[in-house]
Amino acid sequence: MDAHLLNKQALASASGEALQQAAQVLLQVVQARPDNANACNNLGLLLLKMKQPAKAETYFFQAIKHKPDSPEFHNNLGSLYAAGGKSGEARVCFCRAITLNPAYAEAYRNLGLLLMRQNLMPEAQACFCRAVELKPDYWQAHSVLGRIYLAQGQYAMGWEKYEWRLKSPKWHSLPFPQWQGEDLTGKRILLYYEQGFGDTLQFVRYAKVVAEMAAETVLWVQPVLQRLMSSSPGRFSLQRGKRPPAGQFDFACPLMSLPRTFKAMIPQNVPYLRADPETAEKWSGILAQTGSGRKLRVGVVWAGNPRHHNDRNRSIPFSVFRQLFVVTQIHWVSLQAGQRAGDVTGVGQVKDYSRELIDFAETAGLIDNLDLVITVDSAVAHLAGGLGKETWLLLPFAADWRWQMQREDSPWYPTVRIFRQQTAGDWREVLERVAAALGNIVNRDAPKSTALPQQETGKNEIGEVEA
């Protein structure tokens, strides 16, 4: 059996069985020939994909021991360290790989990703610029460079570069010409989602603008968002289900390409989302039964999608977040969805309606009855912002590009106020500021009541470096 071929097939496959089989074969090769550096490296790559980083590190070390001048081996070890939050060790490895091969575009990209997650944007930008100089068709570097420009508010250049994401071999384009701003008079156009819920909620604002230009506009979004969109304003029709609509279109366009088409114009049509009136009325009755009276109603979200590559940084451990609930005279409402919704079990100060929040239309109906939403960087932030609800957004030290850098407001959502980490990993200080701001609203005469108890802050970790 060809161990190299099997390894290559396994790395390209999501099959756990294929990975196990290839790892077993390579392990036999390495046991027979411990000095086979390529086999050690390949085994390390397989183990890394199988989420066994400690074992992978051992074989990367072994590979480097027998072939210390291999830039690829150092780059792979750096990727392992970056995924585990060891940014210092990762940087040493990436720099060593570049020293060994100054034309190693992939190492420049990985170093750039690492620097981005340390909020070192100028240094990261230099790495990505060098990567595309070395490899002009390197779409992975072009698209991330676009995100860096967007984070710095350089929208025209950022959206142009971000379009390179469509070069990915995983991109499934639809069999219609992509709209590039052509006249839509008498034309039929399909607008469709491509990434996460938050991305759809942020950029669906353009659908109303497009619909005013075309004869017919069809909007296709994720099923869990379809009921919400059916009650939101706009002269578009909604494609329901998981499959693209049948029929012919003159043009199609992914939602996240619309800012480029509109030359970086941000529609100021907030609120552009609307809660279904019957759903909102239902939640009004539910909240009235809780006896919240004149208390400030505040919805909270402390965790985003656990599958997000940067979840460990942007979500807050509930043991830390719950300190916010010492602020009195507030009717706390959990808007948390998913597995983390159960964190609030037994916390009497917080009403948990997670079982009823079956889609974004339900959540929108509940938010419509709140005074304020406090959330980490999650889809709820975009939902509340799109509804025009007062929203306080809690961001990690190295935040996502769409929130730019250092700003306390957002050009996308006029009702959003941003609370950023001043030190990487320190959520306690962020929550202290949030508690103080709440105290100024509900109890101006006793701001000391909002002080949070001392607690050790969580350790910041760097998200996974993309391969």
Side-chain angles (χ1 to χ4, degrees):
M1 183 177 293
D2 188 334
H4 177 71
L5 178 61
L6 185 58
N7 167 72
K8 185 176 180 180
Q9 291 173 339
L11 283 174
S13 169
S15 168
E17 184 177 347
L19 290 173
Q20 290 284 357
Q21 184 182 8
Q24 188 60 38
V25 171
L26 283 169
L27 181 59
Q28 293 174 0
V29 172
V30 169
Q31 288 175 339
R33 289 285 307 276
D35 61 343
N36 188 329
N38 288 331
C40 291
N41 176 69
N42 289 339
L43 181 55
L45 288 172
L46 282 172
L47 291 168
L48 186 57
K49 189 168 185 179
M50 294 164 64
K51 302 188 184 306
Q52 299 181 38
K55 291 183 179 179
E57 181 181 24
T58 297
Y59 290 105
F60 285 145
F61 276 146
Q62 191 169 335
I64 292 171
K65 174 183 176 182
H66 295 291
K67 195 175 180 181
D69 59 348
S70 169
E72 290 80 10
F73 296 175
H74 289 280
N75 180 65
N76 293 339
L77 181 60
S79 296
L80 180 148
Y81 284 141
K86 298 180 179 179
S87 57
E89 294 90 333
R91 185 167 184 168
V92 169
C93 291
F94 293 141
C95 289
R96 178 59 178 162
I98 291 169
T99 299
L100 291 168
N101 179 10
Y104 195 177
E106 288 78 6
Y108 275 107
R109 176 177 178 269
N110 280 343
L111 178 57
L113 287 169
L114 183 72
L115 294 170
M116 279 180 68
R117 290 163 187 165
Q118 295 177 290
N119 221 18
L120 300 172
M121 289 300 184
E123 295 91 336
Q125 181 176 326
C127 287
F128 286 104
C129 286
R130 180 59 178 155
V132 298
E133 287 176 4
L134 294 168
K135 192 175 179 180
D137 62 346
Y138 196 8
W139 68 266
Q140 296 97 323
H142 281 287
S143 62
V144 181
L145 185 56
R147 285 162 32 200
I148 291 177
Y149 290 140
L150 292 170
Q152 297 172 338
Q154 302 177 48
Y155 282 144
M157 191 157 43
W159 291 121
E160 196 65 39
K161 282 287 187 183
Y162 192 57
E163 201 70 2
W164 277 81
R165 75 194 187 283
L166 305 185
K167 301 290 185 180
S168 168
K170 295 181 180 180
W171 177 258
H172 299 292
S173 59
L174 297 178
F176 312 112
Q178 180 170 330
W179 185 52
Q180 305 286 347
E182 297 90 342
D183 183 8
L184 292 176
T185 303
K187 303 297 184 181
R188 190 170 188 246
I189 184 172
L190 171 66
L191 305 179
Y192 59 98
Y193 74 95
E194 58 172 286
Q195 297 186 33
F197 300 136
D199 299 299
T200 301
L201 289 166
Q202 180 177 3
F203 297 102
V204 77
R205 71 183 68 210
Y206 288 91
K208 182 179 179 180
V209 183
V210 174
E212 293 170 352
M213 303 166 61
E216 183 181 359
T217 301
V218 177
L219 177 65
W220 178 36
V221 299
Q222 298 96 318
V224 75
L225 289 170
Q226 289 170 5
R227 191 161 69 99
L228 170 68
M229 294 313 306
S230 67
S231 61
S232 294
R235 291 195 313 106
F236 50 80
S237 58
L238 194 65
Q239 167 63 21
R240 298 188 179 277
K242 297 181 179 180
R243 297 182 180 277
Q248 185 62 37
F249 291 88
D250 298 291
F251 298 101
C253 191
L255 290 172
M256 297 187 73
S257 288
L258 289 173
R260 171 180 173 268
T261 305
F262 281 101
K263 303 186 184 304
M265 179 272 292
I266 301 176
Q268 298 300 307
N269 55 353
V270 179
Y272 57 89
L273 301 175
R274 183 172 60 200
D276 171 63
E278 291 186 4
T279 304
E281 183 63 27
K282 179 190 73 174
W283 281 107
S284 176
I286 292 174
L287 291 175
Q289 295 173 10
T290 62
S292 56
R294 295 185 179 180
K295 285 186 177 181
L296 192 73
R297 293 175 176 175
V298 180
V300 289
V301 177
W302 53 91
N305 186 345
R307 294 187 296 276
H308 191 276
H309 68 85
N310 198 36
D311 180 65
R312 71 183 74 188
N313 289 323
R314 69 175 192 166
S315 293
I316 304 177
F318 187 72
S319 60
V320 177
F321 188 87
R322 69 181 298 169
Q323 298 172 72
L324 195 60
F325 302 144
V326 302
V327 183
T328 59
Q329 299 303 312
I330 287 180
H331 182 71
W332 295 101
V333 177
S334 171
L335 300 173
Q336 183 67 50
Q339 296 179 350
R340 294 289 302 276
D343 292 348
V344 79
T345 302
V347 181
Q349 306 98 307
V350 186
K351 295 296 294 185
D352 177 20
Y353 299 108
S354 57
R355 292 184 179 180
E356 287 81 8
L357 301 180
I358 57 175
D359 63 7
F360 283 91
E362 278 310 317
T363 306
L366 177 52
I367 288 175
D368 192 64
N369 289 277
L370 302 179
D371 299 299
L372 171 68
V373 172
I374 301 176
T375 176
V376 296
D377 186 3
S378 68
V380 171
H382 298 281
L383 175 61
L387 290 166
K389 181 64 62 177
E390 193 73 20
T391 304
W392 292 359
L393 177 62
L394 316 183
L395 292 183
F397 180 72
D400 191 72
W401 57 267
R402 72 198 70 222
W403 308 116
Q404 296 189 24
M405 303 173 65
Q406 300 179 341
R407 295 184 65 144
E408 295 182 357
D409 65 343
S410 169
W412 297 95
Y413 303 108
T415 60
V416 164
R417 176 182 177 183
I418 296 175
F419 294 78
R420 297 176 182 268
Q421 282 185 350
Q422 302 301 309
T423 303
D426 187 0
W427 283 117
R428 182 181 170 278
E429 189 274 337
V430 174
L431 293 169
E432 282 182 338
R433 282 187 279 128
V434 172
L438 283 171
N440 288 335
I441 296 174
V442 301
N443 194 358
R444 295 182 184 276
D445 294 330
K448 293 182 179 180
S449 66
T450 65
L452 299 184
Q454 295 293 318
Q455 181 165 330
E456 183 179 354
T457 60
K459 180 182 179 182
N460 182 58
E461 296 176 302
I462 301 296
E464 179 179 357
V465 170
E466 301 174 34

